[in-house]
Amino acid sequence: MIQNNGINISRLAEAAAKQKDVLDELFTGLRNEHSEYQANNPLYRKYGFFNLVWTLLVLAGIVFAFLKRELLTEKLSDKLFEMNVPTGARDELEANLIWLGAALLVLIAVIRVTNLLRMIYSRRVSRRAAKIGSFRKTAEKRMAATDMADFRAAVVNAAEEGNRDFSADRKNDLGKKISAFRDSLANSNRHARLIKGIVSPVLSAFYYLFGFAVIWLLKDKFADDSYITYMWLVLFGIYTYFAIDAVICSIGGYLGKFMRPFGCLLAAGYAAFLWYIIRGIDGSFFDSAAFCTNDGTKLIPQLKISYVVILLQFIAMIVGIIKGDYLGMKDKWEHSFDLSMLYGGSGRMKTRGSVIRRMLWSLPWVLAAWAAGIYLSRALVLVSFVITWWRSMPLFKPFGSVIYEFFGRVKSISMSLMSFALMIMIILRVNGALSMKDLIMFGIALVVYLVFGLIIKAINDGTELFGFMNFFV
């Protein structure tokens, strides 16, 4: 064995053979480190190609609608004319539909532009993994160079002749690049947290105040004898209910133990603003007594319709804010969740798209129930009540419910209360007050709902009679 001045050639060969394993370990660790930083980046979200295409198509559609707004307005007017809508009502309806369309386009545009910017950022974050591949290629080339025959011969010759001045030129720029790359990962996440800490409150303020701004711009057009007014008030209530949820999910982590009190403050702000709007509407409807006897005599004159309308909505919001699992909802929205099945399978993975689709599917049922209970017959209030709660709060369904699984029990109850509160506002507008007959029917409906639900739950727990309904989840 050739050995001179402490240089062992066999050990040199053995070290060279281990270089590949060391290289694999080094870059595997580097990739794992990148993945961990990427997962902890508060602005990063994984998007597919379809998400990008869909966002661009929506934004292109919004731009087209803006450029062709006069043509679209003209077509809307012609359509209302074909529907034989009276001229006076047609002008009011057309103006309000244009307002509604414009508001929706602005809201969707802000959401989609925000998503597009986040997609671009997330793409840049994910592309950093390509640098690791580039580093590895450079390292493999240099490792191959050290394994060349002339290099080994030079080392052996230096060892045999005892040439202590011999050295191999090993560049350390790659090590510095990897070190800088590691630093950039930490800096990137630090900057992302800073940006999110600024952007999240701004977007939250926009989402919360957007509905207020629309109603404020329209307030001078509201009148208590116009059904359009109540359409806007219903939309305002629905929008603000979920806007508060979005705000809490977005900035709740920064508020800590003050998250729920802050949410209650937002609900109080909505109630106060609604009070101001109602007080400013021409007419005396909201100043009328909310309850009356069956013969029309006022019952508790001090309890005004405005009090009932605002109080019911405020209670519904507070119930959801105090007991809503916002951290769980946020995690399910950003990732996915398992839909628990009572039987017929262990469950199915659902996403935020599943939640949106299920809520859109439930909405027509709720609106149909409202229409049945409000416009067809007071006796159908019972049906209206049961269907409204059944669709929005599926506590006793014999199969998994996307809405219930996502929002949780108390939040589902809160949504049902909000739906009920808005329905009461429309019933009050149509009937002028709630009679004792109406109140009795609501009580009967609640009993029917609970009894019906408990019977189904008992059947469901003991049998698989409703197993076929798993296909509709």
Side-chain angles (χ1 to χ4, degrees):
M1 179 180 294
I2 302 174
Q3 183 173 349
N4 190 26
N5 295 324
I7 298 179
N8 193 316
I9 303 303
S10 63
R11 290 183 179 179
L12 180 64
E14 182 181 350
K18 291 182 178 180
Q19 281 184 341
K20 188 177 184 304
D21 294 335
V22 173
L23 203 65
D24 287 337
E25 183 179 351
L26 169 66
F27 285 100
T28 297
L30 192 59
R31 287 189 180 278
N32 292 336
E33 191 174 343
H34 171 265
S35 298
E36 183 178 352
Y37 272 103
Q38 181 173 279
N40 293 328
N41 189 312
L43 293 179
Y44 175 81
R45 183 180 293 170
K46 187 176 180 180
Y47 291 96
F49 179 72
F50 174 77
N51 298 114
L52 176 61
V53 172
W54 173 245
T55 296
L56 293 176
L57 287 175
V58 171
L59 290 176
I62 293 174
V63 173
F64 175 80
F66 175 77
L67 295 176
K68 300 294 184 180
R69 58 187 181 279
E70 294 182 359
L71 176 62
L72 295 175
T73 301
E74 183 179 344
K75 288 186 176 181
L76 174 61
S77 180
D78 294 340
K79 188 65 176 178
L80 294 177
F81 177 79
E82 293 175 3
M83 295 171 63
N84 296 321
V85 179
T87 303
R90 187 193 314 160
D91 294 339
E92 181 186 15
L93 182 58
E94 179 182 330
N96 281 276
L97 289 176
I98 291 173
W99 264 100
L100 178 59
L104 287 175
L105 289 179
V106 170
L107 181 61
I108 293 172
V110 170
I111 295 174
R112 285 300 167 183
V113 168
T114 303
N115 285 348
L116 182 60
L117 293 176
R118 194 168 186 175
M119 287 179 192
I120 295 172
Y121 175 82
S122 298
R123 179 61 177 167
R124 291 185 60 185
V125 170
S126 61
R127 282 178 62 87
R128 289 186 311 198
K131 288 187 177 181
I132 300 177
S134 176
F135 293 155
R136 174 155 194 160
K137 287 182 179 179
T138 302
E140 287 175 344
K141 287 180 180 179
R142 293 183 181 179
M143 184 181 72
T146 62
D147 197 36
M148 293 172 60
D150 55 349
F151 179 81
R152 292 200 306 272
V155 174
V156 172
N157 184 59
E160 289 177 344
E161 295 181 2
N163 185 2
R164 298 186 180 184
D165 295 329
F166 173 83
S167 65
D169 183 16
R170 292 176 177 267
K171 297 180 181 180
N172 196 35
D173 60 321
L174 183 58
K176 292 179 180 179
K177 289 180 179 179
I178 293 177
S179 178
F181 177 75
R182 283 198 170 103
D183 292 339
S184 72
L185 294 177
N187 290 333
S188 176
N189 280 21
R190 189 160 48 248
H191 293 157
R193 284 190 292 271
L194 178 62
I195 294 172
K196 186 174 178 61
I198 296 173
V199 173
S200 292
V202 172
L203 285 178
S204 296
F206 170 81
Y207 292 144
Y208 177 69
L209 296 175
F210 180 78
F212 289 76
V214 173
I215 297 300
W216 178 264
L217 293 173
L218 292 170
K219 64 182 176 58
D220 293 334
K221 300 179 181 180
F222 290 161
D224 69 1
D225 61 345
S226 172
Y227 286 101
I228 298 296
T229 296
Y230 297 89
M231 178 199 78
W232 279 110
L233 293 180
V234 167
L235 291 175
F236 181 42
I238 295 173
Y239 175 83
T240 306
Y241 180 90
F242 290 106
I244 291 175
D245 289 345
V247 170
I248 296 177
C249 287
S250 178
I251 65 174
Y254 301 101
L255 300 173
K257 63 181 181 180
F258 299 105
M259 177 181 72
R260 299 187 192 280
F262 179 72
C264 293
L265 182 64
L266 296 180
Y270 166 77
F273 184 79
L274 184 60
W275 171 265
Y276 174 80
I277 292 297
I278 286 176
R279 301 303 296 176
I281 294 177
D282 293 334
S284 59
F285 168 71
F286 285 105
D287 287 329
S288 302
F291 301 103
C292 66
T293 60
N294 292 334
D295 60 5
T297 305
K298 291 182 179 179
L299 187 66
I300 316 178
Q302 297 81 6
L303 192 57
K304 308 293 186 182
I305 288 177
S306 56
Y307 301 162
V308 173
V309 167
I310 295 172
L311 186 61
L312 287 178
Q313 295 185 46
F314 181 68
I315 291 174
M317 289 182 173
I318 292 298
V319 169
I321 291 169
I322 292 177
K323 291 295 185 179
D325 180 17
Y326 286 103
L327 295 179
M329 287 162 55
K330 182 178 180 180
D331 182 68
K332 293 172 184 177
W333 183 265
E334 293 182 348
H335 302 97
S336 59
F337 60 98
D338 183 70
L339 178 61
S340 302
M341 309 293 287
L342 293 178
Y343 45 73
S346 59
R348 304 178 188 177
M349 294 305 296
K350 298 294 180 180
T351 64
R352 55 186 173 183
S354 307
V355 178
I356 294 173
R357 288 190 297 271
R358 183 58 61 181
M359 293 190 72
L360 290 176
W361 171 242
S362 295
L363 182 60
W365 289 85
V366 173
L367 294 179
W370 284 14
I374 296 169
Y375 297 106
L376 298 182
S377 169
R378 289 194 182 190
L380 290 177
V381 166
L382 188 150
V383 178
S384 172
F385 186 99
V386 173
I387 293 180
T388 299
W389 282 60
W390 178 259
R391 294 305 304 175
S392 56
M393 188 186 68
L395 296 181
F396 303 109
K397 283 191 175 180
F399 51 97
S401 166
V402 174
I403 295 176
Y404 180 69
E405 191 72 30
F406 179 80
F407 289 101
R409 180 185 297 273
V410 178
K411 190 65 180 176
S412 295
I413 293 174
S414 170
M415 286 192 296
S416 295
L417 290 174
M418 189 65 184
S419 173
F420 180 67
L422 294 174
M423 183 180 70
I424 289 296
M425 182 173 66
I426 303 298
I427 289 178
L428 286 170
R429 172 62 188 86
V430 174
N431 298 334
L434 287 174
S435 66
M436 291 301 297
K437 180 180 178 181
D438 295 327
L439 296 176
I440 291 173
M441 286 191 174
F442 280 130
I444 294 174
L446 177 59
V447 173
V448 169
Y449 174 77
L450 292 175
V451 172
F452 183 63
L454 289 172
I455 290 174
I456 288 184
K457 187 176 188 300
I459 295 174
N460 183 61
D461 291 343
T463 70
E464 295 190 4
L465 179 64
F466 300 105
F468 69 94
M469 300 185 82
N470 286 316
F471 295 105
F472 302 101
V473 176

